């Protein structure tokens, strides 16, 4: 993955975390954290389990 794309995804994850920290509604907080995790998962995907 190009470093430019990684920086974008990191920046978006950080923004979502900041939004979660400012939100009052627990449902909104949860959604922002889920979005942050989705961005981070694109940078650091789970290794596939080859059983």
């Amino acid at each position: 993955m190009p470093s430019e794309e990684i920086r974008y995804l990191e920046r978006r994850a950080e923004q979502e975390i900041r939004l979660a920290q400012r939100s009052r509604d627990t449902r909104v907080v949860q959604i922002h954290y889920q979005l942050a995790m989705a961005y981070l998962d694109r940078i650091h995907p789970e290794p596939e389990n080859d059983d």
Side-chain angles (χ1 to χ4, degrees):
M1 176 179 303
S3 61
E4 185 176 296
E5 186 173 351
I6 291 171
R7 284 193 302 273
Y8 168 78
L9 294 169
E10 288 173 336
R11 190 170 54 249
R12 288 297 298 131
E14 290 169 357
Q15 290 170 341
E16 291 299 335
I17 291 168
R18 281 195 300 275
L19 289 169
Q21 292 170 338
R22 290 194 298 232
S23 297
R24 300 285 181 235
D25 186 323
T26 57
R27 294 170 296 181
V28 174
V29 170
Q30 184 177 16
I31 291 168
H32 282 301
Y33 279 125
Q34 288 173 347
L35 286 168
M37 288 304 299
Y39 286 119
L40 294 173
D41 285 345
R42 292 207 38 214
I43 298 169
H44 307 286
E46 293 278 331
E48 290 186 25
N49 192 358
D50 295 335
D51 287 342

